[in-house]
């Protein structure tokens, strides 16, 4: 999910009203404020987005949790209940929670709540489950909710359009959105990133050129991150190569293949640098391998 977090949270913050309308299924809702999302539960957890909104003439809290896949660490009902409880304590306002599932296979078993007990004592908590794949995508292309355009490839396409035709329609509508150039580039970048959850990324490369996305600050962030990761990977590989060269020269009759395999799993350059010094002094390849395996 990490690769989607930044762009999704940006869209939810930039187009908060669009997501509030989606959550409450009515245009009669207004976002008053975006709230701090750091939750002091058992450990600090940052939920996706939390807003103070005006709904049915009442000020309430809207909490939206976005999931690419089903929750693995804890059942989603438990997580949502924990977030809602913390928000209720903090703001002393009604809390309405929504779980938004992006991938087509996610959220199918989410019950949308948790309850136990009886009329005498117990608990009943409900939240809204929204699976994008269940939404009619064409209606969102025709709506004024610009912030939801990047999510339309994940929605249900019209029955009379094939995959490429549907994606092309999503792109064309996004290209014509009434926004400035930088925002349009960000919407197209987000559409490509999110759409790749359900479709082959090559399909989007046919429809959206890099030039169309280059005005987005997110595009440059990802490019810079890729360059930095490339440099770091090169440094890791170079250090591994030097270690193997030293061992091969010192112990020409020993098999260094197991060492090479073990070193490939180490992504810490500082640790590899330590092993480089150890390789110069180790008594044998087997002794060195034991040292690597304790990493």
């Amino acid at each position: 999910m990490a690769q989607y977090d930044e762009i999704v949270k940006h869209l939810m913050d930039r187009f908060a009203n669009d997501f509030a309308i989606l959550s409450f299924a009515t245009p009669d809702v207004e976002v008053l404020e975006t709230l701090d999302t750091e939750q002091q539960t058992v450990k600090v957890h940052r939920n996706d987005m939390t807003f103070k909104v005006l709904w049915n003439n009442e000020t309430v809290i809207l909490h939206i949790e976005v999931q690419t896949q089903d929750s693995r660490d804890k059942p989603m009902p438990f997580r949502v209940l924990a977030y809602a409880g913390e928000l209720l304590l903090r703001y002393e306002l009604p809390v309405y929670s929504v779980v938004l599932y992006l991938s087509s296979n996610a959220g199918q078993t989410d019950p949308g709540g948790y309850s136990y007990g009886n009329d005498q004592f117990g608990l009943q908590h409900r939240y809204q489950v929204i699976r994008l794949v269940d939404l009619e995508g064409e209606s969102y292309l025709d709506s004024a909710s610009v912030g939801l355009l990047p999510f339309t490839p994940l929605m249900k396409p019209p029955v009379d359009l094939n995959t490429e035709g549907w994606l092309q329609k999503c792109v064309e509508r996004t290209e014509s959105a009434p926004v400035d150039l930088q925002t349009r580039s960000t919407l197209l970048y987000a559409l490509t990133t999110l759409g790749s959850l359900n479709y082959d990324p090559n399909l989007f490369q046919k429809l959206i050129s890099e030039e169309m996305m280059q005005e987005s600050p997110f595009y440059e962030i990802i490019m810079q991150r890729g360059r930095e990761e490339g440099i770091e990977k090169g440094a890791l590989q170079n250090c591994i190569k030097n270690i193997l060269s030293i061992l091969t020269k010192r112990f020409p009759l020993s098999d260094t293949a197991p060492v090479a395999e073990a070193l490939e799993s180490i992504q810490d350059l500082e640790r590899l640098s330590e092993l480089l010094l150890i390789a110069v002094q180790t008594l044998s390849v087997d002794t060195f391998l034991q040292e690597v395996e304790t990493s």
Side-chain angles (χ1 to χ4, degrees):
M1 177 67 182
Q3 68 188 98
Y4 309 104
D5 278 351
E6 289 175 302
I7 190 66
V8 168
K9 290 181 180 180
H10 171 78
L11 292 172
M12 293 174 71
D13 188 38
R14 172 72 171 74
F15 300 99
N17 272 315
D18 292 346
F19 288 89
I21 291 170
L22 173 67
S23 299
F24 289 107
T26 175
D28 188 22
V29 58
E30 178 188 357
V31 174
L32 303 175
E33 182 183 356
T34 299
L35 302 173
D36 177 27
T37 59
E38 188 173 278
Q39 297 295 303
Q40 299 293 336
T41 51
V42 177
K43 59 180 180 179
V44 172
H45 175 84
R46 186 168 291 277
N47 62 48
D48 282 315
M49 292 299 287
T50 306
F51 307 97
K52 185 180 290 184
V53 306
L54 185 64
W55 179 53
N56 287 341
N57 297 317
E58 181 184 16
T59 299
V60 303
I61 303 299
L62 169 62
H63 156 231
I64 306 177
E65 191 73 13
V66 180
Q67 290 285 122
T68 55
Q69 302 293 341
D70 293 321
S71 179
R72 294 189 178 91
D73 52 346
K74 293 289 184 182
M76 184 54 69
F78 294 0
R79 287 176 52 186
V80 176
L81 178 59
Y83 305 153
E86 177 64 27
L87 290 167
L88 183 61
L89 282 172
R90 182 183 296 193
Y91 298 106
E92 297 185 7
L93 290 171
V95 177
Y96 295 89
S97 297
V98 175
V99 180
L100 181 65
Y101 287 99
L102 305 184
S103 299
S104 59
N105 61 346
Q108 298 179 67
T109 60
D110 190 330
Y114 176 68
S115 63
Y116 62 83
N118 51 39
D119 293 339
Q120 184 178 359
F121 56 85
L123 171 78
Q124 183 171 20
H125 179 251
R126 302 292 300 170
Y127 57 90
Q128 177 84 337
V129 174
I130 299 177
R131 300 178 65 241
L132 289 180
V133 71
D134 293 334
L135 304 181
E136 297 292 342
E138 198 159 30
S139 65
Y140 288 90
L141 289 185
D142 296 336
S143 76
S145 297
V146 172
L148 297 179
L149 289 174
F151 297 84
T152 52
L154 304 177
M155 298 178 185
K156 187 187 302 181
V159 294
D160 59 342
L161 277 181
N162 60 24
T163 295
E164 192 159 346
W166 168 237
L167 296 182
Q168 183 173 355
K169 192 167 185 177
C170 294
V171 171
E172 289 174 351
R173 175 65 182 86
T174 305
E175 288 178 320
S176 64
V179 294
D180 59 80
L181 178 59
Q182 186 178 86
T183 301
R184 183 177 297 108
S185 295
T186 295
L187 291 173
L188 289 168
Y189 172 76
L191 188 149
T192 300
T193 303
L194 296 172
S196 297
L197 278 167
N198 285 355
Y199 298 103
D200 183 347
N202 292 324
L203 290 173
F204 297 97
Q205 292 177 10
K206 291 181 183 179
L207 300 169
I208 305 175
S209 66
E210 288 192 27
E211 289 76 12
M212 296 166 70
M213 299 185 288
Q214 284 176 348
E215 294 298 323
S216 171
F218 284 92
Y219 180 85
E220 180 54 35
I221 289 171
I222 296 302
M223 291 299 101
Q224 179 61 29
R225 189 173 296 161
R227 289 190 289 268
E228 292 172 354
E229 289 175 354
I231 292 171
E232 182 179 5
K233 185 176 181 180
L236 292 171
Q237 291 300 319
N238 190 53
C239 197
I240 291 172
K241 180 180 178 181
N242 290 338
I243 291 172
L244 295 174
S245 295
I246 290 171
L247 293 176
T248 300
K249 186 173 182 179
R250 292 192 62 210
F251 309 104
L253 300 180
S254 298
D255 180 13
T256 58
V259 174
E261 183 177 351
L263 291 174
E264 287 293 341
S265 65
I266 299 176
Q267 300 298 308
D268 184 345
L269 185 58
E270 184 177 347
R271 176 55 178 159
L272 285 174
S273 298
E274 293 174 356
L275 290 171
L276 180 62
L277 296 177
I278 293 172
V280 176
Q281 305 174 35
T282 189
L283 298 177
S284 68
V285 169
D286 288 341
T287 301
F288 182 79
L289 182 58
Q290 290 177 7
E291 178 66 34
V292 173
E293 290 175 342
T294 62
S295 299

